[in-house]
Amino acid sequence: MFIQQLVNGLILGSTYALIALGYTMVYGIIELINFAHGEIYMFGAFAGLLLVTVLKVPFFLAFFLAMALAALLGMTVEFLAYRPLRHSTRLAALISAIGASIFLQNLALLIMGAQPYTFPSPVEAKVYQTPFFTISRLEIIILIFSFLLMIALTLFIQRTKIGKAMRAVAQDKDTASLMGININQIITVTFAIGSALGAASGVMVGIYFRTVTFSMGLMPGLKGFVAAVLGGIGNIPGAMMGGILLGITETIGAAYISSQYRDAVAFALLIMVLLLKPTGLLGRPVQEKV
Amino acid sequence: MLRIENVSAGYGSIRVLHQINLHVNEGEIVCLIGSNGVGKTTTLKTISGLLRPEEGRIYFRNRDISRTPPHKIVEMGISHVPEGRNVFPRLTVRENLELGAYARKDKAEIKRDYAMVMQTFPQLALREKQSAGTLSGGEQQMLAIGRALMSRPRLLLLDEPSMGLAPLFVLGIFEIINEINRQGTTILLVEQNAQLALRTAHRGYVMETGRIVLDDSTEALLKNSRVRKAYLGE
């Protein structure tokens, strides 16, 4: 039973981790909580759904196309809602983010309506039985995809020139621009990658729970944010760890306390971490700049 | 090579520079001296594009760069070593240096310059894989200068290279600045240590509260009674 919950938590957590990465990357670069990120996740799910059901695109291709489309949307949101406010107060950008979130959600409501859509399953519902837990073929695929994406991101950040530039911009924007790095370009890339990962999560969760709705981004968006803060916002390995920890805590809380309290457990965990270690699990202590 | 004409600049509503004029010829070391807070750093930031002039023009190799963003200015051949050795603390020494060559695409040449920087600063070679934040102040200054050289600049802007360093280190850094210049890089040096700056540079400008008040050859400035009184402690 316990191991089963761990496995379930790991699956849920890996989808949270993908969302959390988008929050943490954007925060790391421009210190903004991108509250429209949950809607990017929702958009990804819809994009995947429409590609598969209306345009009859094969699942595998639709998955990556949905990521690409979400990347475009993320770049557009940054360009229209955040870039003009780059030199204003942080609160202004935050309010704009909330506005973008409300706008995108209502746009989805307007276009797709309020009814839930059913995502057809891409794989046959085969379940594997081990002595300690059961896992479905779909769950295995979700785990593999999530971890491959996280590994790919880590390699990209660590090994490529753009990844190095992203880390430099996160540490010191002015000095980074003196290296010849185009800051706006790096911010655009960051939004694109974060949004693509969020969309990947959206598509997989849409398939997993078989439903896609205009409001599906709200709760996972918040959970992804919680996961990013848990791990230490701005910290990429932290977001992965925070997501998985949150998923496991939530599943175990739901199993042993009450499934009614699923979300309460998640947010209680956030409050606890913030009380005990305000910078998050892997966060660095904040240094006041003089 | 560099010509600043009637440039005023500042931060928001606070104006720091008032119509300054300054030029740097190819091959020179020019120093800009003055006490704390008179606008020396602001001058460099305005040249490298971190600040936009509110009025006036800046020309580099006869091209107007007054409105050019910093990353484009780097590509044109100006490299700015900011005050306080702003290395990227959580990147390794190697990554810091590689970022210095970010705007370049000639891989083989970058490799050669990398080897050259390692030769100039042997201490850095020992710490290639260490994160830059763990280096001593002097080593960070070397890294910042080495990183700037990685862009192969025509003009190097140095902001207070002696700040916070042990005297022995300071001499070493200035030795290297001379060497960089001998190899053909033009240098604009901002320095509070006027003695050292005037002995290193060919020409100098003296700045007071956002204005250039004196400019002359460094020999003349070293003999100038006003300079001797205010900056050389006589």
Side-chain angles (χ1 to χ4, degrees), chain A residues 94-245:
Chain A
L94 196 67
I95 292 167
S96 188
I98 295 170
S101 163
I102 296 171
F103 172 79
L104 289 174
Q105 203 182 114
N106 282 280
L107 190 68
L109 176 62
L110 198 68
I111 298 172
M112 301 306 295
Q115 76 276 25
Y117 289 81
T118 308
F119 216 124
S121 183
V123 288
E124 53 175 313
K126 189 165 165 49
V127 174
Y128 300 92
Q129 194 83 41
T130 74
F132 305 105
F133 60 91
T134 60
I135 189 166
S136 73
R137 179 175 283 184
L138 181 63
E139 288 170 331
I140 293 174
I141 292 175
I142 289 175
L143 271 181
I144 291 174
F145 267 65
S146 301
F147 279 92
L148 282 181
L149 286 171
M150 287 190 248
I151 292 166
L153 176 73
T154 307
L155 290 177
F156 179 82
I157 302 266
Q158 291 299 330
R159 300 281 168 83
T160 67
K161 195 169 166 178
I162 302 272
K164 220 184 301 159
M166 285 170 73
R167 285 182 289 149
V169 173
Q171 290 178 37
D172 183 341
K173 269 195 254 328
D174 273 357
T175 307
S177 70
L178 293 179
M179 302 296 107
I181 296 169
N182 182 345
I183 307 292
N184 277 334
Q185 185 191 46
I186 296 299
I187 292 172
T188 303
V189 171
T190 305
F191 270 87
I193 296 176
S195 302
L197 294 175
S201 180
V203 175
M204 291 194 294
V205 172
I207 296 172
Y208 191 42
F209 293 122
R210 309 292 305 272
T211 47
V212 178
T213 67
F214 77 100
S215 61
M216 70 180 281
L218 184 63
M219 206 29 109
L222 278 176
K223 298 271 180 67
F225 172 59
V226 169
V229 173
L230 270 184
I233 189 125
N235 184 307
I236 288 176
M240 300 180 189
M241 211 177 90
I244 286 164
L245 187 70

Side-chain angles (χ1 to χ4, degrees), chain A residues 158 161-162 164-165 167-183 185-186 284, chain B residues 45 48 50 70-71 74-75 79-80 82 86 88-91 95-96 98-104 147:
Chain A
Q158 291 299 330
K161 195 169 166 178
I162 302 272
K164 220 184 301 159
R167 285 182 289 149
V169 173
Q171 290 178 37
D172 183 341
K173 269 195 254 328
D174 273 357
T175 307
S177 70
L178 293 179
M179 302 296 107
I181 296 169
N182 182 345
I183 307 292
Q185 185 191 46
I186 296 299
R284 283 179 305 275
Chain B
K45 281 188 174 173
S48 62
L50 291 178
H71 66 270
V74 177
E75 282 173 32
S79 197
H80 178 177
N86 286 315
F88 299 108
R90 295 186 297 283
L91 297 184
E95 288 170 331
N96 266 278
E98 285 168 350
L99 278 172
Y102 186 81
R104 294 171 58 184
R147 188 180 62 183

Side-chain angles (χ1 to χ4, degrees), chain B residues 43-179:
Chain B
T43 306
L44 292 193
K45 281 188 174 173
T46 312
I47 298 170
S48 62
L50 291 178
L51 283 176
R52 280 210 173 156
E54 285 155 21
E55 56 176 6
R57 291 265 176 274
I58 301 173
Y59 297 94
F60 179 62
R61 304 176 79 223
N62 295 321
R63 278 170 68 186
D64 186 349
I65 57 165
S66 326
R67 300 251 166 274
T68 313
H71 66 270
K72 287 266 161 49
I73 291 180
V74 177
E75 282 173 32
M76 294 169 72
I78 298 182
S79 197
H80 178 177
V81 181
E83 189 180 12
R85 340 173 252 278
N86 286 315
V87 298
F88 299 108
R90 295 186 297 283
L91 297 184
T92 65
V93 168
R94 188 186 190 107
E95 288 170 331
N96 266 278
L97 289 172
E98 285 168 350
L99 278 172
Y102 186 81
R104 294 171 58 184
K105 289 185 178 62
D106 44 344
K107 280 219 169 96
E109 291 291 294
I110 292 174
K111 238 186 185 157
R112 263 188 37 195
D113 287 354
Y114 187 84
M116 189 268 295
V117 169
M118 285 295 162
Q119 213 173 13
T120 316
F121 303 105
Q123 285 96 320
L124 295 184
L126 300 172
R127 309 202 184 283
E128 253 187 301
K129 295 207 172 74
Q130 236 167 285
S131 52
T134 64
L135 301 184
S136 73
E139 288 165 340
Q140 290 192 14
Q141 185 61 265
M142 292 176 178
L143 178 57
I145 295 175
R147 188 180 62 183
L149 291 178
M150 288 297 291
S151 73
R152 234 186 227 191
R154 297 166 194 275
L155 173 65
L156 186 62
L157 310 176
L158 290 173
D159 197 351
E160 303 275 3
S162 77
M163 195 170 72
L165 299 187
L168 200 67
F169 247 118
V170 172
L171 291 179
I173 293 274
F174 274 78
E175 189 70 31
I176 287 163
I177 291 172
N178 266 318
E179 182 55 35

